[in-house]
Structures are given as structure tokens and as C-alpha cells.
Amino acid sequence: MSRRALITGITGQDGSYLAELLLEKQYEVHGVLRRPVGEGCQRIAHIQERLHLHHADLLDEWSLLRVMELAQPDELYNLAAQSFVPTSWNQPLLTGEINALGVSRLLEAMRQVNPRIRFYQASSSEMFGRVRQEPQNEETPFWPRSPYGAAKAYGHWIAVNYRESYDLFVCSGILFNHESPRRGLEFVTRKVTDAAARIKLGRATKLRLGNLEAQRDWGFAGDYVRAMWQMLAQDQPGDYVVATGVKHSVRDLVELAFAHVGLDPARHVETDPALLRPAEVTTLCGDASKARTTLGWEPRVSFAELVRMMVDADLARVDRGG
């Protein structure tokens, strides 16, 4: 009998890659939708007929209880979130309700329905914020610099508390920035690769960005969902940093993307102070030694390969009129 997995946030970047991975491993895959089927389901359209989709919301504990009873999962992956850091400044209360209290609602529903479910919580490198040490590992103290980071820190610690208080199999993946052609257009990586494609094809002339010197540890989302699955396959639960260990600036990202299509970014890229964060996170770089040693996990796609993959996908999409 195949194992069953339930994924919140299945229509997102990570959810779609994770669903593909689990289907390849012969799982019965269930997903949680907030909206009617078809709305925002583009990332899973190619596998939708193989999925079992349910309606629920992290703001509504009753709906979570119901979907858990229907799906009867062996594994539960909580990838749902208000995931865009700038939006968390405009909607801090909603961000807290989803990214913080939503985790509590989901854990409590799981504890009531079936405490033997293996649970994955999507934590974030944004919890480190104003970093105390570099690179950051599982022992680095958190200092979040946004409502998003603060809410994620709550979600992380409530997951730890449920693991320790109720002896649940709960893991948190402290994932550093991970991207793909399925990344939303509001994120800086996709904003850059989409602009490079549009400018190359004559559909745009300028790209406006905030802090070009901010540095991040960027990896490929398809690599990172493999680590999620590996965490829940262990004998004991734990928390893991998932990262490449190499950081690049936004300027590096821009130069690589524009060079791939033969453009000079100096002619097209402008800085816009309105795009700066109220409290900037200037650098993040992860130490994934524990994941490499315990899980046997390794990133397979380099930063340069990732950027080229995203630019090529955006070139194809824009050329089709997307």
C-alpha cells in the first residue's frame, strides 16, 4: 500500500515540485487548496489528475481537522504561507495569522486526528535576519527583521514545542532562498530573469530594483524539496538548514541573467529607494553540514545553472506572449 502525503501550499513553487517528487516515489498525494480548483493551479496543471485536492484554510481549524480526516496522511508537509517578505510589512496581522498561528492550528489538528503523522514545517532563513554569525546553522540565534521572519520564527518554535511536549515526529527545514522558473514574478530572482527576457525581446526597456548589494544563498527549489522528503524518512525527527553554502549579491544575479541574453545591465537597471525594505537583511549564507551528513543531501544545480534555467524559461514564455 502506497504512503499518503498531504501538502498545504501544493499550488506554490515548492508544493508543485514536492508533489512531483512524491508521485515519482509512488505516494498517494493529497493537497490543500484555498481557492476553487483551477484558480492559481497552473504549477500543478500537468499532474492535477493524479492528485487528490481538498479545500481548507490555515485560518480555519475546523477545515484542517476535516481535510486531515479525509486524507488520512502518513506525512504532512506544511508549505502554505504568506510568502512574500515585502507584503508582510503591508499585512503584518494576516502574515502572523497564517505563518505563525496557522502552524499551531495545523499541529493541533494533527495531534487530535492522528499524532503518528510525520510533520514537516517550512521554516525560513529570514528568521536569522540580522545575522549573529556566518554561515548560519541550526544553532545560530534568530533575529528576524520583518513580520514575515518573526512569524516564521513563531511557527518554527511552536513546531519544536509540539515535538518536545507531545513526542510528535516534527521536522523543520530552515530553507535558504530557493528559486525556479515556477517562482512568483514578485520575487527578485524572477523579477530579474523576466526583465532580462522582456528587454531582450523588446517588450521592456528598464528594470527597477532595491538594494543591489544584498547577498543571499540561492539554490534550486527542486533540490530543496528532496531534503524535505529525506527529513521525514529519518528514524528521529530534527531541524535542518538547507542551503548551498555560497552567497551571491543581487548585482551578481543581474549581471549573470543579463549576460546570458547578451545585454549590458548598466543600460537597463536602475535602483529605486521605494523598493528598499524598512529593515534590510543584508546577508544570508547557510551551513547545511547537518543535512549533508545526516540526510545525505547535496544540491545538484549551481547558481549559474539556476539563473540560466530561469532566463531560458522566461524567454520561452515571453516569446509565446506570456
Side-chain angles (χ1 to χ4, degrees):
M1 183 176 178
S2 62
R3 291 183 65 79
R4 292 185 177 188
L6 176 63
I7 304 171
T8 71
I10 194 169
T11 60
Q13 169 189 255
D14 293 6
S16 64
Y17 280 112
L18 179 61
E20 287 177 344
L21 175 69
L22 295 178
L23 287 171
E24 289 172 7
K25 297 186 178 298
Q26 306 304 312
Y27 277 66
E28 180 181 304
V29 179
H30 295 251
V32 172
L33 301 178
R34 293 183 65 203
R35 302 178 182 88
V37 175
E39 291 188 21
C41 291
Q42 299 91 335
R43 296 182 182 94
I44 59 170
H46 62 296
I47 55 172
Q48 190 167 318
E49 291 185 357
R50 302 169 63 192
L51 303 173
H52 304 266
L53 300 176
H54 311 271
H55 289 96
D57 196 312
L58 290 187
L59 303 181
D60 178 5
E61 186 176 350
W62 184 87
S63 71
L64 300 176
L65 286 163
R66 179 176 173 275
V67 76
M68 225 166 288
E69 290 170 345
L70 286 171
Q72 292 293 311
D74 301 294
E75 299 172 8
L76 171 54
Y77 296 85
N78 181 33
L79 310 186
Q82 188 299 98
S83 59
F84 191 44
V85 175
T87 296
S88 76
W89 289 104
N90 297 325
Q91 296 182 298
L93 300 183
L94 179 63
T95 300
E97 284 286 349
I98 297 172
N99 296 5
L101 294 180
V103 184
S104 296
R105 295 185 188 101
L106 195 57
L107 284 164
E108 188 59 24
M110 183 187 81
R111 189 175 73 87
Q112 293 182 44
V113 172
N114 180 4
R116 295 181 301 280
I117 295 171
R118 295 190 167 208
F119 183 94
Y120 172 83
Q121 167 59 19
S123 292
S124 168
S125 61
E126 287 287 330
M127 301 186 305
F128 295 122
R130 187 172 179 177
V131 297
R132 314 280 188 94
Q133 67 184 60
E134 195 166 80
Q136 297 87 53
N137 60 32
E138 294 81 7
E139 305 302 319
T140 303
F142 300 148
W143 191 337
R145 298 271 282 170
S146 66
Y148 172 87
K152 278 291 186 180
Y154 176 98
H156 177 86
W157 283 120
I158 201 65
V160 171
N161 272 259
Y162 267 71
R163 178 174 68 215
E164 295 177 349
S165 300
Y166 300 114
D167 195 28
L168 303 178
F169 196 104
V170 173
C171 296
S172 286
I174 306 173
L175 271 57
F176 280 64
N177 295 65
H178 47 288
E179 318 296 324
S180 76
R182 301 179 191 176
R183 191 55 140 160
L185 284 165
E186 68 272 23
F187 291 87
V188 67
T189 45
R190 189 71 193 290
K191 186 176 180 180
V192 168
T193 61
D194 175 71
R198 289 184 179 281
I199 293 170
K200 178 64 177 178
L201 295 173
R203 311 290 176 84
T205 58
K206 295 293 182 183
L207 167 62
R208 291 178 174 81
L209 294 170
N211 183 9
L212 291 174
E213 308 312 321
Q215 296 181 315
R216 293 292 185 271
D217 182 334
W218 277 299
F220 173 51
D223 286 340
Y224 285 36
V225 299
R226 189 165 24 91
M228 300 175 189
W229 173 75
Q230 289 174 305
M231 289 178 208
L232 297 195
Q234 301 304 301
D235 293 333
Q236 298 295 327
D239 305 324
Y240 298 85
V241 163
V242 181
T244 70
V246 180
K247 65 181 180 180
H248 299 272
S249 67
V250 176
R251 189 181 299 278
D252 295 336
L253 166 67
V254 169
E255 290 177 353
L256 188 56
F258 277 64
H260 186 55
V261 291
L263 294 173
D264 179 5
R267 297 179 58 189
H268 303 284
V269 179
E270 300 175 351
T271 56
D272 185 349
L275 298 176
L276 297 173
R277 297 183 184 182
E280 185 62 72
V281 176
T282 57
T283 180
L284 290 170
C285 186
D287 175 5
S289 298
K290 181 180 177 183
R292 292 170 188 263
T293 302
T294 304
L295 306 179
W297 177 83
E298 291 280 351
R300 297 171 181 169
V301 177
S302 71
F303 176 69
E305 290 169 333
L306 171 63
V307 174
R308 289 194 291 266
M309 175 201 307
M310 293 175 67
V311 172
D312 287 343
D314 279 325
L315 279 169
R317 178 184 56 82
V318 174
D319 194 42
R320 293 193 305 267

